[in-house]
Amino acid sequence: MSEQVLFQKSFQIKGNDFASAGEASVQIKNILKEVGFDSSVIRRVAVASYEAEMNVVMYGGGGKVTLRVNPEDVILIVEDKGPGIPDVTKAMQEGYSTATDEMREMGFGAGMGLPNIKRNSDELKIDTAAGKGTRLEIHIKRAVNNG
Ligand SMILES: Nc1ncnc2c1ncn2[C@@H]1O[C@H](COP(=O)(O)OP(=O)(O)OP(=O)(O)O)[C@@H](O)[C@H]1O
Ligand SMILES: [Mg+2]
């Protein structure tokens, strides 16, 4: 089934550049605010996009994130051409991290990024291959569930 794309924009993510890290996520958040998305939806997108962006900075060697809005949901496609994730099941576990001491000193490496992305998304697809890179597709529904 092909979905109607209402808005789409890509942002580059620089590898290992902690000075500019998080900028793409700020831009994405601002776009959704301007359009007037519900704050709970914006918060979920912002968390998922920040965690995914940081992983591309720290492990992916740089890449890009694409924000896509369709009638039903907000989609984030986060891609890098880095080393890939050898064991996705392990990487999805809370507390699992291969962060370096340097990254831990900056406050990263709790091993909570991917679990947080999962928790804040309605659908998460991870495609990864050794030596080829990683692609995350994160779906977050636009309708707020007040039930
Ligand atoms: N894009 C990626 N490319 C290669 N490996 C990755 C990528 N994203 C995550 N990983 C691997 O999965 C592990 C878990 O990622 P996760 O985001 O959950 O935790 P973290 O980044 O180590 O710590 P935190 O996100 O809490 O700062 C990472 O330590 C890394 O080994
Ligand atoms: Mg992380």
Side-chain angles (χ1 to χ4, degrees), residues 3-143:
E3 274 281 15
Q4 188 193 357
V5 177
L6 301 176
F7 178 87
Q8 179 162 311
K9 189 169 172 147
S10 294
F11 306 86
Q12 298 300 317
I13 302 168
K14 280 191 212 160
N16 306 302
D17 182 351
F18 288 88
S20 68
E23 278 176 7
S25 297
V26 169
Q27 292 196 56
I28 285 170
K29 195 176 176 177
N30 287 341
I31 288 168
L32 298 183
K33 272 188 189 167
E34 268 171 43
V35 181
F37 274 68
D38 190 271
S39 62
S40 71
V41 173
I42 295 175
R43 186 186 45 75
R44 295 173 75 204
V45 174
V47 170
S49 125
Y50 177 74
E51 294 293 354
E53 180 178 0
M54 287 315 304
N55 283 351
V56 170
V57 172
M58 297 197 290
Y59 312 109
K64 70 170 179 180
V65 52
T66 301
L67 166 67
R68 182 182 297 164
V69 177
N70 69 29
E72 294 267 300
D73 40 30
V74 177
I75 299 169
L76 296 168
I77 298 159
V78 190
E79 300 161 287
D80 67 61
K81 291 188 164 62
I85 304 175
D87 186 337
V88 175
T89 309
K90 221 178 187 178
M92 288 303 303
Q93 285 171 10
E94 293 188 4
Y96 177 81
S97 177
T98 61
T100 61
D101 289 344
E102 208 183 343
M103 292 171 188
R104 288 171 199 271
E105 275 163 28
M106 287 187 279
F108 302 105
M112 291 304 293
L114 288 171
N116 258 330
I117 293 170
K118 175 90 184 158
R119 189 145 19 95
N120 283 284
S121 63
D122 291 298
E123 198 184 326
L124 169 64
K125 290 181 213 160
I126 304 180
D127 288 311
T128 183
K132 292 201 171 153
T134 300
R135 181 184 188 274
L136 263 58
E137 190 173 313
I138 301 160
H139 292 237
I140 293 168
K141 290 202 188 309
R142 289 174 56 181

